[in-house]
Amino acid sequence: MIMRRIERGERKGDAKVWSYPGMEKVVQQMRKKIDGVSKLFTLDACRHGGMTELEEAELTDGQGRALSGHKTAQAYRGYAK
């Protein structure tokens, strides 16, 4: 979960969860600003890298699924080495 600060209005200063499309747009904008970054650098690629790191940390399937949001062990196993 990635949070962002509300900058205007009545709830200014509160935190709000980024939507998936909103965060993907931010990743695309950052990628365009950095010379030499591949078009393969996407939010999905970042997420996959993070899930791989969870697996490498030797968490149990249940712990990894809790952090990743995968509902089944089969879906989470895709990140196992």
Side-chain angles (χ1 to χ4, degrees), residues 61-80:
D61 279 359
Q63 291 169 324
R65 286 195 340 257
L67 291 168
S68 70
H70 287 100
K71 290 183 170 66
T72 67
Q74 182 179 2
Y76 181 72
R77 272 189 224 112
Y79 298 97

Side-chain angles (χ1 to χ4, degrees), residues 16-73:
K16 181 178 180 178
V17 176
W18 277 98
S19 67
Y20 191 90
M23 192 64 210
E24 176 63 30
K25 184 176 179 179
V26 169
V27 170
Q28 290 173 11
Q29 290 170 345
M30 287 186 336
R31 182 184 69 219
K32 290 175 184 175
K33 289 180 181 180
I34 303 170
D35 290 333
V37 175
S38 169
K39 289 185 178 183
L40 299 175
F41 184 78
T42 64
L43 183 56
D44 282 335
C46 293
R47 183 175 188 270
H48 190 277
M51 303 307 353
T52 300
E53 288 185 26
L54 288 177
E55 180 60 30
E56 290 172 353
E58 299 180 5
L59 299 175
T60 66
D61 279 359
Q63 291 169 324
R65 286 195 340 257
L67 291 168
S68 70
H70 287 100
K71 290 183 170 66
T72 67

